[in-house]
Amino acid sequence: MITLLGFLFLFSGHLSGQNWNKISREIKKKHLSSLSSTYLLCHYNLRQKSKCFEQLHVETSDTIFILEDSNDYSEPTITLTLWNRSDTLTYTSGNCYYNAKNGGKIPIKQDKPGFTKHMMKLVSDWNIDEIRIEDEKNGGSLPQYWVVATRIILNEKKYKIDCLYFRYFFNIERDGMDFK
């Protein structure tokens, strides 16, 4: 059984109002070492086209969490949910793989998160041990696809980025109708 790939990436840098594009590029670079470049290009394009960072209400000292996935259902779709203590935003974009080189379709803002409350809680707590357990116990659904979790810790003008990869997990008894 495939297990959690890990959270081997850390980065520190400077943050200002003009650097959201830089942060998104740094996230993309960190992801490139462990996942398919097509997935990552799709995720990067969705972050850029949605201007999600500019739309999220962020304090000078804050933590932003991001969950991104790509699925291969009848029409390939990517989902991006980002949140902090005061705001949550979700975007989707269809047919990502076909349009990966030209940026994919225009993102659609969603009314509710694209991930289960349990998954978002574990990521908010950055509970890596429990995420590993969930990946092993409930991450084997078919079709199987990967979730990329990112944590950005902002402290005044500095930031630190942590990344984590795991299989999408779902438990019908716990998560019930809490799915996309």
Side-chain angles (χ1 to χ4, degrees), residues 53-162:
F53 291 120
E54 289 88 352
Q55 295 182 37
L56 189 71
H57 176 73
V58 178
E59 302 294 328
T60 56
S61 293
D62 207 344
T63 302
I64 301 170
F65 299 96
I66 306 169
L67 282 172
E68 298 169 289
D69 74 4
S70 307
N71 70 54
D72 294 322
Y73 296 133
S74 60
E75 181 178 337
T77 304
I78 56 173
T79 302
L80 159 71
T81 295
L82 71 156
W83 70 97
N84 59 9
R85 63 181 158 239
S86 62
D87 205 1
T88 301
L89 301 172
T90 297
Y91 299 89
T92 60
S93 181
N95 209 359
C96 170
Y97 306 110
Y98 178 75
N99 291 312
K101 288 191 169 83
N102 65 14
K105 287 186 175 180
I106 295 172
I108 300 168
K109 191 170 183 180
Q110 302 295 322
D111 293 332
K112 62 183 201 170
F115 300 88
T116 65
K117 291 175 188 172
H118 182 66
M119 186 182 297
M120 290 177 68
K121 170 79 170 107
L122 293 178
V123 170
S124 291
D125 294 340
W126 209 247
N127 189 339
I128 296 165
D129 292 335
E130 188 62 31
I131 291 170
R132 283 187 176 127
I133 291 168
E134 284 292 336
D135 179 59
E136 283 295 318
K137 280 177 64 178
N138 299 308
S141 65
L142 293 176
Q144 182 175 305
Y145 54 99
W146 290 94
V147 175
V148 181
T150 305
R151 175 177 69 172
I152 306 167
I153 300 171
L154 306 172
N155 187 5
E156 298 297 324
K157 293 189 178 235
K158 298 213 181 258
Y159 62 90
K160 176 180 151 186
I161 300 171
D162 300 312

